[in-house]
């Protein structure tokens, strides 16, 4: 059941959570929560773009090597990218150019 509010009621009296200040030291404000959500969304976008562009490919390769081939040393990052570009040139796949 909804509460009936008088026209003179302020926003702070009608909301269950404070808008600008917290009720205690550990109570995050609306702005703090909004900032955290924005930062989290920005981090997700950054992860997506870097994954899409392949920026984390060498780190993924090294993790795979350590997990599945611990006795074989991983190639250097420079050699990894050189091999990857050579492979893309030999097998263009769905690339346009």
């Amino acid at each position: 059941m909804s509460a009936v509010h008088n026209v003179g009621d302020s926003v702070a009296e009608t909301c269950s959570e404070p808008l600008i200040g917290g009720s205690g030291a550990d109570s995050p404000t609306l702005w703090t929560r909004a900032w955290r959500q924005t930062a989290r969304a920005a981090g997700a976008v950054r992860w997506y773009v870097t994954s899409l562009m392949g920026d984390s490919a060498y780190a993924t390769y090294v993790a795979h090597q350590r997990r599945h081939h611990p006795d074989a040393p991983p190639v250097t990052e420079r050699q990894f990218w050189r091999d990857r570009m050579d492979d893309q040139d030999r097998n263009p796949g769905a690339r346009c150019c």
Side-chain angles (χ1 to χ4, degrees):
M1 185 171 206
S2 64
V4 177
H5 299 289
N6 293 331
V7 176
D9 287 346
S10 69
V11 173
E13 293 171 350
T14 58
C15 293
S16 62
E17 295 182 8
L19 292 177
I20 306 264
S23 60
D26 6 325
S27 175
T29 64
L30 178 65
W31 302 112
T32 304
R33 285 181 281 161
W35 177 253
R36 286 179 187 160
Q37 289 176 347
T38 302
R40 186 175 179 188
V45 169
R46 181 180 182 277
W47 171 84
Y48 177 74
V49 170
T50 57
S51 295
L52 184 68
M53 299 303 290
D55 292 351
S56 60
Y58 182 71
T60 303
Y61 159 75
V62 170
H64 170 83
Q65 282 294 107
R66 288 186 180 150
R67 200 174 325 116
H68 296 285
H69 312 284
D71 52 329
V75 298
T76 63
E77 187 170 4
R78 182 180 181 129
Q79 187 61 42
F80 171 81
W81 288 111
R82 184 176 292 153
D83 292 345
R84 184 175 168 135
M85 293 301 124
D86 290 345
D87 185 54
Q88 286 180 349
D89 288 341
R90 283 190 303 273
N91 306 308
R95 286 190 341 205
C96 65
C97 311

Coordinates of all heavy atoms in Angstrom, one line a residue:
M1 N 0.8 -1.2 0.0 CA 0.0 0.0 0.0 C 0.9 1.2 0.0 O 1.9 1.3 0.7 CB -0.9 0.0 1.2 CG -1.9 1.1 1.3 SD -3.0 0.7 2.7 CE -4.4 1.5 2.2
S2 N 0.6 2.2 -0.8 CA 1.4 3.4 -0.9 C 1.1 4.4 0.1 O -0.1 4.5 0.6 CB 1.3 4.0 -2.3 OG 0.0 4.4 -2.5
A3 N 2.1 5.2 0.5 CA 1.8 6.2 1.5 C 1.4 7.5 0.9 O 1.7 7.8 -0.3 CB 3.1 6.5 2.3
V4 N 0.5 8.2 1.5 CA 0.0 9.5 1.0 C 0.9 10.6 1.6 O 1.1 10.6 2.8 CB -1.5 9.7 1.4 CG1 -1.9 11.0 0.9 CG2 -2.3 8.6 0.8
H5 N 1.4 11.4 0.7 CA 2.3 12.5 1.1 C 1.6 13.9 0.9 O 0.9 14.1 -0.1 CB 3.6 12.5 0.4 CG 4.4 11.2 0.6 ND1 5.0 10.9 1.8 CD2 4.6 10.2 -0.2 CE1 5.5 9.7 1.7 NE2 5.3 9.3 0.5
N6 N 1.8 14.8 1.8 CA 1.3 16.1 1.6 C 2.2 16.8 0.6 O 3.3 16.5 0.4 CB 1.3 16.9 2.9 CG 0.3 16.3 3.9 OD1 -0.7 15.7 3.5 ND2 0.7 16.4 5.2
V7 N 1.6 17.9 0.0 CA 2.4 18.6 -1.0 C 3.6 19.3 -0.4 O 4.6 19.4 -1.0 CB 1.4 19.7 -1.7 CG1 2.2 20.6 -2.6 CG2 0.3 19.0 -2.3
G8 N 3.6 19.6 0.9 CA 4.7 20.3 1.5 C 5.8 19.3 2.0 O 6.8 19.8 2.4
D9 N 5.6 18.0 1.8 CA 6.6 17.1 2.2 C 7.9 17.3 1.4 O 7.8 17.4 0.2 CB 6.2 15.6 2.1 CG 5.1 15.2 3.2 OD1 5.0 16.0 4.1 OD2 4.5 14.2 3.0
S10 N 9.0 17.3 2.0 CA 10.2 17.4 1.3 C 10.6 16.0 0.7 O 10.2 15.0 1.1 CB 11.4 18.0 2.1 OG 11.7 17.0 3.1
V11 N 11.6 16.1 -0.3 CA 12.0 14.8 -0.9 C 12.7 14.0 0.2 O 12.6 12.7 0.2 CB 13.0 15.2 -2.0 CG1 13.6 13.9 -2.6 CG2 12.3 15.9 -3.1
A12 N 13.5 14.6 1.1 CA 14.2 13.8 2.1 C 13.3 13.1 3.0 O 13.6 12.0 3.5 CB 15.1 14.8 2.9
E13 N 12.1 13.6 3.3 CA 11.1 13.0 4.1 C 10.4 11.8 3.4 O 10.0 10.9 4.1 CB 10.1 14.0 4.6 CG 10.7 15.0 5.6 CD 9.7 16.2 5.8 OE1 8.6 16.2 5.2 OE2 10.0 17.0 6.7
T14 N 10.3 11.9 2.1 CA 9.6 10.8 1.4 C 10.5 9.7 0.9 O 10.0 8.6 0.6 CB 8.9 11.4 0.2 OG1 9.8 12.0 -0.7 CG2 7.8 12.4 0.6
C15 N 11.8 9.9 0.9 CA 12.7 8.8 0.4 C 13.1 8.0 1.6 O 13.3 8.5 2.7 CB 13.9 9.4 -0.2 SG 13.5 10.3 -1.8
S16 N 13.3 6.7 1.3 CA 13.8 5.8 2.4 C 15.3 5.9 2.6 O 15.8 5.6 3.6 CB 13.4 4.4 2.1 OG 14.0 4.0 0.9
E17 N 16.0 6.4 1.6 CA 17.5 6.5 1.7 C 17.8 8.0 1.5 O 17.2 8.7 0.7 CB 18.2 5.7 0.6 CG 18.0 4.2 0.7 CD 18.7 3.5 -0.4 OE1 19.5 4.1 -1.1 OE2 18.5 2.3 -0.5
P18 N 18.9 8.5 2.2 CA 19.2 9.9 2.0 C 19.8 10.1 0.6 O 20.5 9.2 0.0 CB 20.3 10.1 3.1 CG 20.8 8.7 3.4 CD 19.7 7.8 3.2
L19 N 19.6 11.3 0.1 CA 20.1 11.6 -1.3 C 21.5 12.1 -1.3 O 22.3 11.7 -2.0 CB 19.2 12.7 -1.9 CG 17.8 12.2 -2.3 CD1 17.0 13.4 -2.9 CD2 17.8 11.1 -3.3
I20 N 21.8 13.0 -0.4 CA 23.2 13.6 -0.4 C 23.9 13.1 0.8 O 25.0 12.9 0.8 CB 23.1 15.1 -0.5 CG1 22.2 15.5 -1.7 CG2 24.5 15.7 -0.5 CD1 22.9 15.8 -2.9
G21 N 23.7 13.0 1.9 CA 24.5 12.5 3.0 C 24.1 11.2 3.5 O 22.9 10.9 3.4
G22 N 25.0 10.4 4.0 CA 24.6 9.2 4.5 C 24.2 9.3 6.0 O 24.4 10.4 6.6
S23 N 23.5 8.3 6.5 CA 23.1 8.4 7.9 C 24.2 8.0 8.8 O 24.2 8.3 10.0 CB 21.9 7.5 8.1 OG 22.3 6.2 7.8
G24 N 25.3 7.5 8.3 CA 26.5 7.1 9.1 C 27.7 7.2 8.3 O 27.7 7.5 7.1
A25 N 28.8 6.9 8.9 CA 30.1 7.0 8.2 C 30.2 5.9 7.1 O 30.9 6.2 6.1 CB 31.3 6.9 9.2
D26 N 29.6 4.8 7.3 CA 29.8 3.7 6.3 C 28.6 3.7 5.2 O 28.6 2.9 4.4 CB 29.9 2.3 6.9 CG 29.7 2.2 8.3 OD1 30.1 3.1 9.0 OD2 29.1 1.2 8.8
S27 N 27.7 4.6 5.3 CA 26.6 4.7 4.4 C 27.0 5.5 3.2 O 27.2 6.7 3.3 CB 25.4 5.3 5.1 OG 24.4 5.5 4.2
P28 N 27.1 4.8 2.0 CA 27.5 5.5 0.8 C 26.4 6.4 0.3 O 25.2 6.1 0.4 CB 27.8 4.4 -0.2 CG 27.1 3.3 0.3 CD 27.0 3.4 1.8
T29 N 26.8 7.6 -0.2 CA 25.8 8.5 -0.7 C 25.4 8.1 -2.1 O 26.0 7.2 -2.7 CB 26.4 10.0 -0.7 OG1 27.4 10.0 -1.7 CG2 26.8 10.4 0.6
L30 N 24.3 8.8 -2.6 CA 23.9 8.5 -3.9 C 24.9 8.8 -4.9 O 25.1 8.0 -5.9 CB 22.6 9.3 -4.2 CG 22.0 9.2 -5.6 CD1 21.5 7.8 -5.8 CD2 20.9 10.2 -5.8
W31 N 25.7 9.8 -4.7 CA 26.8 10.2 -5.7 C 27.9 9.1 -5.6 O 28.4 8.8 -6.7 CB 27.3 11.6 -5.3 CG 26.3 12.6 -5.4 CD1 25.8 13.3 -4.3 CD2 25.5 13.1 -6.5 NE1 24.8 14.2 -4.7 CE2 24.6 14.0 -6.1 CE3 25.5 12.7 -7.8 CZ2 23.7 14.7 -6.9 CZ3 24.6 13.4 -8.7 CH2 23.8 14.3 -8.2
T32 N 28.2 8.7 -4.5 CA 29.3 7.6 -4.3 C 28.8 6.4 -5.1 O 29.6 5.8 -5.8 CB 29.6 7.3 -2.9 OG1 29.9 8.6 -2.2 CG2 30.7 6.3 -2.7
R33 N 27.6 6.0 -4.8 CA 27.1 4.8 -5.5 C 27.1 4.9 -7.0 O 27.4 4.0 -7.8 CB 25.7 4.4 -5.0 CG 25.8 3.8 -3.6 CD 24.5 3.4 -3.1 NE 23.8 4.6 -2.6 CZ 22.6 4.8 -2.5 NH1 21.7 3.9 -2.7 NH2 22.1 6.0 -2.0
A34 N 26.6 6.1 -7.5 CA 26.6 6.4 -8.9 C 28.0 6.4 -9.5 O 28.2 5.8 -10.6 CB 25.9 7.7 -9.2
W35 N 29.0 7.0 -8.8 CA 30.4 7.0 -9.3 C 30.9 5.5 -9.3 O 31.6 5.2 -10.3 CB 31.2 7.8 -8.3 CG 32.6 7.8 -8.7 CD1 33.7 7.2 -8.1 CD2 33.2 8.4 -9.9 NE1 34.8 7.3 -8.8 CE2 34.6 8.1 -9.9 CE3 32.7 9.2 -10.9 CZ2 35.4 8.5 -10.9 CZ3 33.6 9.6 -11.9 CH2 34.9 9.3 -11.9
R36 N 30.6 4.7 -8.3 CA 31.1 3.3 -8.4 C 30.5 2.6 -9.5 O 31.2 1.8 -10.2 CB 30.8 2.7 -7.0 CG 31.6 3.1 -5.9 CD 31.3 2.4 -4.6 NE 32.0 2.9 -3.5 CZ 31.6 2.8 -2.2 NH1 30.5 2.1 -1.9 NH2 32.3 3.3 -1.3
Q37 N 29.2 2.8 -9.8 CA 28.6 2.1 -10.9 C 29.2 2.5 -12.2 O 29.4 1.7 -13.2 CB 27.1 2.3 -10.9 CG 26.4 1.5 -9.7 CD 25.0 1.8 -9.6 OE1 24.4 2.7 -10.2 NE2 24.3 1.0 -8.8
T38 N 29.4 3.8 -12.3 CA 30.0 4.4 -13.6 C 31.4 3.8 -13.8 O 31.8 3.5 -14.9 CB 30.0 5.9 -13.5 OG1 28.7 6.4 -13.3 CG2 30.6 6.5 -14.8
A39 N 32.2 3.8 -12.7 CA 33.6 3.3 -12.8 C 33.5 1.8 -13.2 O 34.4 1.3 -14.0 CB 34.3 3.5 -11.5
R40 N 32.6 1.1 -12.6 CA 32.5 -0.4 -12.9 C 32.1 -0.6 -14.4 O 32.6 -1.4 -15.1 CB 31.4 -1.0 -12.0 CG 31.3 -2.5 -12.2 CD 30.4 -3.0 -11.1 NE 30.3 -4.5 -11.3 CZ 29.4 -5.2 -10.6 NH1 28.6 -4.7 -9.8 NH2 29.4 -6.5 -10.8
A41 N 31.2 0.2 -14.9 CA 30.8 0.2 -16.3 C 31.9 0.5 -17.2 O 32.1 -0.1 -18.3 CB 29.6 1.1 -16.6
A42 N 32.7 1.6 -16.9 CA 33.8 2.0 -17.7 C 34.9 0.9 -17.7 O 35.5 0.6 -18.7 CB 34.4 3.3 -17.1
G43 N 35.1 0.2 -16.6 CA 36.0 -0.9 -16.5 C 35.6 -2.1 -17.4 O 36.4 -2.7 -18.1
A44 N 34.3 -2.3 -17.5 CA 33.7 -3.4 -18.3 C 33.9 -3.0 -19.8 O 34.3 -3.9 -20.6 CB 32.3 -3.6 -18.0
V45 N 33.7 -1.8 -20.1 CA 33.9 -1.3 -21.5 C 35.4 -1.5 -21.9 O 35.7 -1.9 -23.0 CB 33.4 0.1 -21.7 CG1 33.8 0.7 -23.1 CG2 31.9 0.2 -21.6
R46 N 36.2 -1.1 -21.0 CA 37.7 -1.1 -21.3 C 38.1 -2.6 -21.5 O 38.8 -2.9 -22.4 CB 38.5 -0.6 -20.1 CG 40.0 -0.6 -20.3 CD 40.7 0.0 -19.1 NE 42.1 0.0 -19.3 CZ 42.9 -1.0 -19.1 NH1 42.4 -2.2 -18.6 NH2 44.2 -1.0 -19.3
W47 N 37.6 -3.5 -20.6 CA 37.9 -4.9 -20.8 C 37.4 -5.4 -22.1 O 38.2 -6.2 -22.8 CB 37.3 -5.7 -19.7 CG 37.4 -7.2 -19.9 CD1 38.4 -8.0 -19.6 CD2 36.4 -8.1 -20.6 NE1 38.2 -9.3 -20.0 CE2 36.9 -9.4 -20.6 CE3 35.1 -7.8 -21.1 CZ2 36.2 -10.4 -21.2 CZ3 34.5 -8.9 -21.7 CH2 35.0 -10.2 -21.7
Y48 N 36.2 -5.1 -22.5 CA 35.7 -5.5 -23.8 C 36.5 -5.1 -25.0 O 36.8 -5.8 -25.9 CB 34.2 -5.1 -23.9 CG 33.6 -5.4 -25.2 CD1 33.2 -6.7 -25.5 CD2 33.4 -4.5 -26.3 CE1 32.6 -7.1 -26.7 CE2 32.9 -4.8 -27.5 CZ 32.5 -6.1 -27.7 OH 31.9 -6.5 -28.9
V49 N 36.8 -3.8 -25.0 CA 37.6 -3.2 -26.1 C 39.0 -3.8 -26.2 O 39.5 -4.2 -27.2 CB 37.7 -1.7 -26.0 CG1 38.6 -1.1 -27.0 CG2 36.3 -1.1 -26.2
T50 N 39.7 -4.0 -25.0 CA 41.0 -4.5 -25.1 C 41.0 -6.0 -25.5 O 41.9 -6.5 -26.2 CB 41.8 -4.4 -23.7 OG1 41.0 -5.0 -22.7 CG2 42.0 -2.9 -23.4
S51 N 39.9 -6.7 -25.1 CA 39.8 -8.1 -25.5 C 39.5 -8.2 -27.0 O 40.0 -9.0 -27.7 CB 38.7 -8.8 -24.7 OG 39.0 -8.9 -23.4
L52 N 38.7 -7.3 -27.5 CA 38.3 -7.3 -28.9 C 39.5 -7.0 -29.7 O 39.7 -7.6 -30.8 CB 37.2 -6.3 -29.1 CG 36.6 -6.2 -30.5 CD1 35.8 -7.4 -30.8 CD2 35.7 -5.0 -30.6
M53 N 40.3 -6.1 -29.3 CA 41.5 -5.7 -30.1 C 42.7 -6.6 -29.9 O 43.6 -6.6 -30.6 CB 42.0 -4.3 -29.6 CG 40.9 -3.2 -29.9 SD 40.3 -3.1 -31.6 CE 41.8 -2.4 -32.3
G54 N 42.6 -7.5 -29.0 CA 43.6 -8.5 -28.8 C 44.8 -8.1 -27.9 O 45.8 -8.7 -27.9
D55 N 44.6 -7.0 -27.1 CA 45.6 -6.5 -26.3 C 46.1 -7.5 -25.2 O 47.2 -7.5 -24.7 CB 45.2 -5.2 -25.6 CG 45.1 -4.1 -26.6 OD1 45.4 -4.3 -27.7 OD2 44.6 -3.0 -26.1
S56 N 45.2 -8.4 -24.8 CA 45.5 -9.4 -23.7 C 45.9 -10.7 -24.3 O 46.0 -11.7 -23.5 CB 44.3 -9.5 -22.8 OG 43.2 -10.0 -23.5
A57 N 46.2 -10.8 -25.6 CA 46.4 -12.1 -26.2 C 47.7 -12.7 -25.7 O 47.8 -14.0 -25.4 CB 46.5 -12.0 -27.7
Y58 N 48.8 -11.9 -25.5 CA 50.0 -12.5 -25.0 C 49.9 -13.0 -23.6 O 50.3 -14.1 -23.2 CB 51.2 -11.5 -25.1 CG 52.5 -12.1 -24.6 CD1 53.1 -13.1 -25.4 CD2 53.1 -11.7 -23.4 CE1 54.3 -13.6 -25.0 CE2 54.3 -12.3 -23.0 CZ 54.9 -13.2 -23.8 OH 56.1 -13.8 -23.4
A59 N 49.2 -12.3 -22.7 CA 49.0 -12.7 -21.3 C 48.2 -14.0 -21.3 O 48.4 -14.9 -20.5 CB 48.3 -11.6 -20.5
T60 N 47.2 -14.1 -22.2 CA 46.4 -15.3 -22.3 C 47.2 -16.5 -22.7 O 47.1 -17.6 -22.2 CB 45.2 -15.1 -23.2 OG1 44.4 -14.0 -22.8 CG2 44.3 -16.3 -23.3
Y61 N 48.1 -16.2 -23.7 CA 49.0 -17.3 -24.2 C 49.9 -17.8 -23.1 O 50.1 -19.0 -22.9 CB 49.8 -16.7 -25.4 CG 51.1 -17.5 -25.6 CD1 51.1 -18.7 -26.2 CD2 52.3 -16.9 -25.3 CE1 52.3 -19.4 -26.5 CE2 53.5 -17.6 -25.5 CZ 53.5 -18.9 -26.1 OH 54.6 -19.6 -26.3
V62 N 50.5 -16.8 -22.3 CA 51.5 -17.2 -21.3 C 50.7 -18.0 -20.2 O 51.2 -19.0 -19.7 CB 52.1 -16.0 -20.7 CG1 52.9 -16.3 -19.4 CG2 53.1 -15.3 -21.7
A63 N 49.5 -17.6 -19.8 CA 48.7 -18.4 -18.8 C 48.5 -19.8 -19.3 O 48.5 -20.7 -18.6 CB 47.5 -17.6 -18.5
H64 N 48.1 -19.9 -20.6 CA 47.9 -21.2 -21.2 C 49.1 -22.1 -21.2 O 49.1 -23.3 -20.8 CB 47.4 -21.1 -22.7 CG 47.3 -22.4 -23.4 ND1 46.3 -23.2 -23.3 CD2 48.2 -23.0 -24.2 CE1 46.5 -24.3 -24.0 NE2 47.7 -24.1 -24.6
Q65 N 50.2 -21.5 -21.6 CA 51.5 -22.2 -21.6 C 51.9 -22.7 -20.2 O 52.3 -23.9 -20.0 CB 52.7 -21.3 -22.1 CG 52.7 -21.1 -23.6 CD 53.0 -22.4 -24.3 OE1 52.1 -23.0 -24.9 NE2 54.2 -22.9 -24.2
R66 N 51.7 -21.9 -19.2 CA 52.1 -22.3 -17.8 C 51.1 -23.4 -17.3 O 51.5 -24.3 -16.5 CB 52.0 -21.1 -16.9 CG 53.2 -20.2 -17.1 CD 53.2 -19.0 -16.1 NE 54.4 -18.2 -16.4 CZ 54.4 -16.9 -16.2 NH1 53.4 -16.3 -15.6 NH2 55.5 -16.2 -16.4
R67 N 49.9 -23.3 -17.7 CA 48.9 -24.3 -17.2 C 49.0 -25.6 -17.9 O 49.0 -26.7 -17.3 CB 47.5 -23.7 -17.5 CG 46.4 -24.3 -16.6 CD 45.0 -23.7 -16.8 NE 45.1 -22.2 -17.0 CZ 44.7 -21.6 -18.1 NH1 44.2 -22.2 -19.1 NH2 44.8 -20.3 -18.2
H68 N 49.2 -25.6 -19.3 CA 49.2 -26.9 -20.0 C 50.5 -27.4 -20.5 O 50.7 -28.5 -20.8 CB 48.3 -26.7 -21.3 CG 46.9 -26.4 -20.9 ND1 46.0 -27.4 -20.5 CD2 46.1 -25.3 -21.0 CE1 44.8 -26.9 -20.3 NE2 44.9 -25.6 -20.5
H69 N 51.5 -26.5 -20.5 CA 52.9 -26.9 -20.9 C 53.9 -26.3 -20.0 O 54.7 -25.4 -20.4 CB 53.1 -26.4 -22.4 CG 52.0 -26.7 -23.3 ND1 51.8 -28.0 -23.8 CD2 51.1 -25.9 -23.8 CE1 50.8 -28.0 -24.6 NE2 50.3 -26.7 -24.7
P70 N 53.9 -26.7 -18.7 CA 54.8 -26.0 -17.7 C 56.3 -26.2 -18.0 O 57.1 -25.4 -17.6 CB 54.4 -26.6 -16.4 CG 53.7 -27.9 -16.7 CD 53.1 -27.7 -18.1
D71 N 56.6 -27.3 -18.7 CA 58.0 -27.6 -19.0 C 58.6 -26.8 -20.2 O 59.8 -26.6 -20.3 CB 58.2 -29.1 -19.2 CG 57.3 -29.6 -20.3 OD1 56.2 -29.1 -20.4 OD2 57.7 -30.6 -21.0
A72 N 57.7 -26.3 -21.0 CA 58.2 -25.5 -22.2 C 58.1 -24.0 -21.9 O 57.1 -23.5 -21.5 CB 57.3 -25.8 -23.4
P73 N 59.2 -23.3 -22.1 CA 59.2 -21.8 -21.8 C 58.4 -21.1 -22.9 O 58.4 -21.5 -24.1 CB 60.7 -21.4 -21.9 CG 61.3 -22.4 -22.7 CD 60.5 -23.7 -22.5
P74 N 57.6 -20.1 -22.5 CA 56.8 -19.4 -23.5 C 57.8 -18.5 -24.4 O 58.9 -18.1 -23.9 CB 55.9 -18.5 -22.7 CG 56.6 -18.4 -21.4 CD 57.3 -19.6 -21.2
V75 N 57.4 -18.3 -25.6 CA 58.2 -17.4 -26.5 C 58.1 -16.0 -26.0 O 57.2 -15.6 -25.2 CB 57.7 -17.5 -28.0 CG1 57.9 -18.9 -28.5 CG2 56.3 -17.0 -28.1
T76 N 59.0 -15.1 -26.4 CA 59.0 -13.7 -26.0 C 57.8 -13.1 -26.6 O 57.2 -13.5 -27.6 CB 60.3 -13.0 -26.5 OG1 60.3 -13.0 -27.9 CG2 61.5 -13.7 -25.9
E77 N 57.4 -11.9 -26.0 CA 56.3 -11.2 -26.5 C 56.5 -10.7 -27.9 O 55.6 -10.8 -28.7 CB 56.0 -10.0 -25.6 CG 54.7 -9.3 -25.9 CD 54.2 -8.3 -24.9 OE1 55.0 -8.0 -23.9 OE2 53.1 -7.7 -25.1
R78 N 57.7 -10.3 -28.2 CA 58.0 -9.8 -29.5 C 57.8 -11.0 -30.6 O 57.2 -10.8 -31.6 CB 59.4 -9.3 -29.6 CG 59.8 -8.8 -30.9 CD 61.2 -8.3 -30.9 NE 61.6 -7.7 -32.2 CZ 62.1 -6.6 -32.4 NH1 62.4 -5.8 -31.3 NH2 62.4 -6.2 -33.6
Q79 N 58.3 -12.1 -30.2 CA 58.2 -13.3 -31.1 C 56.7 -13.7 -31.2 O 56.3 -14.1 -32.3 CB 59.1 -14.5 -30.7 CG 59.1 -15.6 -31.6 CD 59.7 -15.2 -33.0 OE1 60.7 -14.5 -33.0 NE2 59.1 -15.7 -34.0
F80 N 56.0 -13.7 -30.1 CA 54.6 -14.0 -30.2 C 53.8 -13.2 -31.2 O 53.1 -13.7 -32.0 CB 54.0 -13.9 -28.8 CG 52.5 -14.0 -28.7 CD1 51.9 -15.2 -28.7 CD2 51.7 -12.9 -28.7 CE1 50.5 -15.4 -28.7 CE2 50.3 -13.0 -28.7 CZ 49.7 -14.2 -28.7
W81 N 54.0 -11.8 -31.1 CA 53.3 -10.9 -32.0 C 53.8 -11.1 -33.4 O 52.9 -11.0 -34.4 CB 53.4 -9.5 -31.6 CG 52.6 -9.2 -30.3 CD1 53.1 -9.0 -29.1 CD2 51.2 -9.2 -30.2 NE1 52.1 -8.8 -28.2 CE2 50.9 -9.0 -28.8 CE3 50.2 -9.5 -31.0 CZ2 49.6 -8.9 -28.3 CZ3 48.8 -9.4 -30.6 CH2 48.6 -9.1 -29.2
R82 N 55.0 -11.4 -33.6 CA 55.5 -11.6 -35.0 C 54.9 -12.8 -35.6 O 54.4 -12.8 -36.7 CB 57.1 -11.7 -35.0 CG 57.7 -11.9 -36.3 CD 59.2 -11.9 -36.3 NE 59.7 -10.6 -35.9 CZ 60.8 -10.4 -35.2 NH1 61.6 -11.4 -34.9 NH2 61.2 -9.2 -34.9
D83 N 54.8 -13.9 -34.8 CA 54.2 -15.2 -35.3 C 52.7 -15.0 -35.5 O 52.2 -15.5 -36.5 CB 54.4 -16.3 -34.3 CG 55.9 -16.7 -34.1 OD1 56.7 -16.4 -35.0 OD2 56.2 -17.4 -33.1
R84 N 52.1 -14.2 -34.7 CA 50.6 -14.0 -34.8 C 50.4 -13.2 -36.1 O 49.4 -13.5 -36.9 CB 50.1 -13.2 -33.6 CG 48.6 -13.0 -33.6 CD 48.2 -12.4 -32.3 NE 46.8 -12.0 -32.5 CZ 45.9 -12.2 -31.5 NH1 46.2 -12.8 -30.5 NH2 44.7 -11.7 -31.7
M85 N 51.1 -12.1 -36.4 CA 50.9 -11.4 -37.6 C 51.2 -12.2 -38.9 O 50.5 -12.1 -39.9 CB 51.8 -10.1 -37.6 CG 51.5 -9.1 -36.5 SD 49.8 -8.5 -36.7 CE 49.1 -8.9 -35.1
D86 N 52.3 -13.0 -38.8 CA 52.6 -13.8 -39.9 C 51.5 -14.8 -40.2 O 51.1 -15.1 -41.4 CB 53.9 -14.6 -39.7 CG 55.2 -13.7 -39.7 OD1 55.0 -12.5 -40.2 OD2 56.2 -14.1 -39.2
D87 N 50.9 -15.4 -39.1 CA 49.8 -16.3 -39.3 C 48.6 -15.6 -39.9 O 47.9 -16.2 -40.8 CB 49.5 -17.0 -37.9 CG 48.4 -18.0 -38.1 OD1 48.6 -19.0 -38.9 OD2 47.4 -17.9 -37.4
Q88 N 48.3 -14.4 -39.5 CA 47.2 -13.7 -40.1 C 47.4 -13.4 -41.5 O 46.5 -13.3 -42.3 CB 46.9 -12.4 -39.3 CG 46.3 -12.7 -37.9 CD 46.0 -11.4 -37.1 OE1 46.5 -10.3 -37.5 NE2 45.3 -11.5 -36.1
D89 N 48.7 -13.1 -41.9 CA 48.9 -12.8 -43.3 C 48.8 -14.1 -44.2 O 48.3 -14.0 -45.3 CB 50.4 -12.3 -43.5 CG 50.5 -10.8 -42.9 OD1 49.4 -10.2 -42.8 OD2 51.6 -10.4 -42.7
R90 N 49.2 -15.2 -43.6 CA 49.1 -16.5 -44.4 C 47.6 -16.9 -44.5 O 47.2 -17.5 -45.5 CB 49.9 -17.6 -43.7 CG 51.4 -17.5 -43.9 CD 52.1 -18.8 -43.5 NE 51.8 -19.0 -42.0 CZ 52.6 -18.5 -41.0 NH1 53.5 -17.7 -41.3 NH2 52.3 -18.8 -39.8
N91 N 46.8 -16.7 -43.4 CA 45.4 -17.1 -43.4 C 44.5 -15.9 -43.1 O 44.1 -15.7 -41.9 CB 45.2 -18.2 -42.3 CG 46.2 -19.3 -42.4 OD1 46.3 -19.9 -43.5 ND2 46.9 -19.6 -41.4
P92 N 44.1 -15.2 -44.1 CA 43.3 -14.0 -43.8 C 41.9 -14.2 -43.2 O 41.4 -13.4 -42.5 CB 43.3 -13.2 -45.1 CG 43.6 -14.3 -46.1 CD 44.4 -15.3 -45.5
G93 N 41.4 -15.4 -43.5 CA 40.0 -15.7 -42.9 C 39.0 -14.7 -43.3 O 38.8 -14.4 -44.5
A94 N 38.3 -14.1 -42.3 CA 37.2 -13.2 -42.6 C 37.6 -11.7 -42.7 O 36.8 -10.8 -42.7 CB 36.2 -13.3 -41.5
R95 N 38.9 -11.5 -42.7 CA 39.4 -10.1 -42.8 C 39.0 -9.5 -44.2 O 38.9 -10.2 -45.2 CB 40.9 -10.0 -42.7 CG 41.3 -10.1 -41.3 CD 42.8 -9.8 -41.1 NE 43.6 -9.8 -42.4 CZ 44.8 -10.0 -42.4 NH1 45.5 -10.2 -41.3 NH2 45.5 -10.0 -43.6
C96 N 38.8 -8.2 -44.2 CA 38.5 -7.6 -45.5 C 39.7 -7.3 -46.3 O 39.7 -7.1 -47.5 CB 37.7 -6.3 -45.3 SG 38.6 -5.0 -44.4
C97 N 40.9 -7.1 -45.7 CA 42.1 -6.7 -46.4 C 43.3 -7.6 -46.1 O 43.4 -8.1 -45.0 CB 42.5 -5.3 -45.9 SG 41.1 -4.1 -46.0

